[in-house]
Amino acid sequence: MVVITNDIGNNIKDLCSRGRNATEIGNELGINSSTINSYIERNNIHTDPSNIGRPEALSHRDKLFIKRCVDCRNPTTVSEIHKELQKEHNFSGCRQTVKNFLDSEGVSLDED
C-alpha cells in the first residue's frame, strides 16, 4: 500500500483542481488510480465537474434539431428523426439515444 505524504496529497489536490482525473494523476505520480480515487474520496477533494462522467450522446444542437422536428411534426417517428439527424448532423448515435431524449422531454412518438 502506498502512503500518500502531504506533498503527494497537495499534488493530488492541485491536479484535481486543474481538471485532471484519477487515471491521469496516477500516471503522472506513479500511483494506482484506485489509490488516488480513495484519497480523493477520503479527503473530500472537489474535482472539476466538467471532467466527470461520460460525455453527452446528443449535443445541444442535436437536441434543438429533435425539438424542431417534434414541433413541426415532421418527421413523425423516432426512426425518421434518427435518420434525419444522421443525415443533417452526421449523428453517429443509435436510435435508442433519440428515443431516450424524447422520453426525457415527455414526447411519445411511434417507433417506426
Side-chain angles (χ1 to χ4, degrees):
M1 181 169 155
V2 175
V3 176
I4 297 184
T5 64
N6 285 338
D7 286 341
I8 293 172
N10 288 335
N11 283 342
I12 293 170
K13 289 176 190 173
D14 180 52
L15 293 168
C16 281
S17 71
R18 291 194 223 165
R20 304 286 292 280
N21 65 37
T23 301
E24 294 168 333
I25 294 169
N27 288 341
E28 185 167 324
L29 300 178
I31 302 171
N32 189 297
S33 62
S34 47
T35 302
I36 301 292
N37 272 326
S38 296
Y39 181 83
I40 290 169
E41 288 175 15
R42 252 192 338 269
N43 292 283
N44 295 318
I45 297 172
H46 300 285
T47 57
D48 180 3
S50 66
N51 198 25
I52 295 176
R54 132 184 214 193
E56 289 195 20
L58 291 168
S59 69
H60 179 69
R61 183 174 166 233
D62 295 336
K63 291 176 183 178
L64 289 175
F65 179 81
I66 294 170
K67 287 179 181 181
R68 278 195 306 273
C69 287
V70 170
D71 290 343
C72 296
R73 296 278 184 219
N74 186 23
T76 58
T77 67
V78 175
S79 293
E80 289 173 350
I81 291 174
H82 179 249
K83 286 176 188 171
E84 285 296 311
L85 192 57
Q86 287 176 317
K87 186 173 122 187
E88 299 293 326
H89 292 242
N90 296 321
F91 179 68
S92 62
C94 66
R95 187 190 59 75
Q96 187 64 42
T97 300
V98 175
K99 183 176 181 337
N100 290 346
F101 174 70
L102 290 167
D103 289 345
S104 75
E105 295 290 309
V107 177
S108 178
L109 293 177
D110 292 337
E111 292 293 319
D112 286 337

